[in-house]
Structure formats: structure tokens, C-alpha cells
Amino acid sequence: MSPSSAPAIGERLRQERTRRGVSARALAREIGVSPSLISQIETDKSQPSVSTLYAITTALGISIEDLFAADGAGSDGPVVPGDGAGGGAGGGELNAEPAVVSETISALRVLGSDRRRVGPVVRAAEREVLTLDSGVTWELLGQVPDVHTEFLRITYEPGGSSSSSGLLMRHTGTEYGHVLSGELILTLGFEEHHLAAGDSVSFDSTTPHGYRNDGDVPAVGIWFVSERPTSP
């Protein structure tokens, strides 16, 4: 699948935000970005980085896999109330991306969605693809309803990174990754790890982390993020 085949995700995010009664300004304030960035993402004028996309989906209580759905349907969890702020995009310069998705936002993750099935066999030419900002592409490898995982083939182009600003992210779950080709730098907490083809990682995703490709060839890997329920 070429990058041009990637489905637009902005409208899906806008529909989910609207369905939950959250204004663009309130969502922007919750995740630490500007309303104008939310507007640009929702109108597909700008692709979010990995860290921004995780922040948005976590705040809205939907999964990454929900964004691949052709009909754009999100999870049917409880509505996250807004704070009465006015909707619409604001002007001004874009704020920096959030350094860390807060524990408060992480607690909003909804774990009772009825997800569609992708598979049991997904042919290479039929993978659903999302192309994100800063040179990162996600391909959905499969999905089982009511099993809360992210099963992805991830490509970091040369110079690609999880965040265009270089800041770290965290989200719910446990993260497992295996590098198939190329090289990645994993920043995990206060440490950096050089990952080459054949290397694997596993860690608690609430630990601040981020990836970047400092090499001159694409880095490709298989990633599996297993979510876990949060206490009510």
C-alpha cells in the first residue's frame, strides 16, 4: 500500500470529539497543544505525530485501531464531558507537543469498546495504512474484537521520529517491539538504547519514551501494545 492509500483520520477524530461533547479548545487544553493544531489535524491539513495522536486518542477514550476503520467508528465508551469552552480553532502559533500524556488523561481510556475484526488473515497488499507526521507509517496487521491491543508494522523513514519536537510520550499498556531492518534510537526514561535489526524491546508504556531514526535507510519493525484496564 502506498502512502497515498492511507485513510484520512482527521474527520474521524472530529466526529469522535463532537460525539463526546468536547470542544476543540477543551481538547487542545487537555493535551497541551493549540486549538489551531487540532483544527489542522481534523481538516487533514496537518498529520499528527505519534505522540500527538496517542494524546488525542487517549483523551477521547478511543484506540489507535479505531482510526483504521473504514467507517471511522470509534468505541462506544462513556462520554467524556467538556468544560463548556467554545468550539472551533483558535489562532496564533502552535504550542509545543505534550512532553508527557498525563495520568489524568490516561485514566480516560475506555476499555469496553466493540471493535471490528481485521483478519484472521491480512494479506500484505491489503494492509490498512496510516501515515503520520515526522516520517512514520503504521500498518494494521490484525485486530480481534474486544481484545485491546495494537498490532502494527511500523516504518520510520530516515530522520523520522515519534515527535516532530523531540519530546517524549507515555500511554497505557505494555509495549513490545522487534526491529526487522534498519536502526532505531529508543529514548526510555533517562536512557537511550540503540536498536539494530534483530533487537527487541519490552517496557511499561507509561514510562516516557520516544523513537527516532538517525540512519539513512528506513527502520521497520513489528510493534504490539497490550492495553490493561485502569481502576474505576
Side-chain angles (χ1 to χ4, degrees):
M1 235 183 202
S2 65
S4 61
S5 302
I9 63 175
E11 177 61 19
R12 268 167 274 179
L13 292 173
R14 187 196 67 78
Q15 290 176 353
E16 189 64 25
R17 176 182 60 75
T18 302
R19 187 177 74 85
R20 292 170 180 270
V22 180
S23 72
R25 192 173 300 278
L27 176 60
R29 182 167 54 252
E30 184 75 7
I31 69 172
V33 301
S34 69
S36 59
L37 177 58
I38 298 297
S39 176
Q40 289 179 36
I41 291 172
E42 291 185 348
T43 56
D44 293 306
K45 294 178 180 178
S46 176
Q47 291 294 324
S49 68
V50 176
S51 60
T52 298
L53 187 59
Y54 263 116
I56 293 174
T57 56
T58 301
L60 294 178
I62 61 176
S63 71
I64 295 298
E65 293 95 327
D66 290 330
L67 299 179
F68 285 93
D71 62 359
S75 59
D76 292 326
V79 173
V80 179
D83 61 359
E93 297 180 356
L94 301 185
N95 295 334
E97 294 181 79
V100 172
V101 180
S102 70
E103 294 289 354
T104 300
I105 296 176
S106 297
L108 297 177
R109 173 71 75 177
V110 176
L111 298 172
S113 63
D114 181 18
R115 301 179 185 174
R116 66 194 176 112
R117 176 179 293 278
V118 177
V121 176
V122 178
R123 305 297 180 186
E126 299 172 351
R127 294 179 192 142
E128 299 174 24
V129 181
L130 288 180
T131 300
L132 306 177
D133 188 21
S134 64
V136 182
T137 301
W138 287 350
E139 299 172 71
L140 183 62
L141 298 181
Q143 181 175 304
V144 177
D146 299 318
V147 176
H148 303 282
T149 63
E150 294 163 9
F151 183 29
L152 305 168
R153 185 179 191 267
I154 298 180
T155 301
Y156 282 79
E157 296 297 334
S161 64
S162 300
S163 170
S164 55
S165 62
L167 298 176
L168 304 182
M169 60 181 172
R170 70 183 184 188
H171 49 89
T172 60
T174 304
E175 189 156 333
Y176 303 87
H178 178 75
V179 181
L180 298 174
S181 62
E183 299 180 347
L184 279 174
I185 302 296
L186 164 64
T187 301
L188 183 62
F190 296 102
E191 299 181 347
E192 280 197 349
H193 304 272
H194 181 274
L195 307 178
D199 291 343
S200 302
V201 296
S202 56
F203 55 89
D204 189 322
S205 301
T206 60
T207 304
H209 62 282
Y211 301 93
R212 70 178 190 273
N213 180 2
D214 290 343
D216 54 8
V217 298
V220 182
I222 302 298
W223 251 251
F224 184 93
V225 180
S226 176
E227 299 176 12
R228 60 178 179 273
T230 55
S231 300

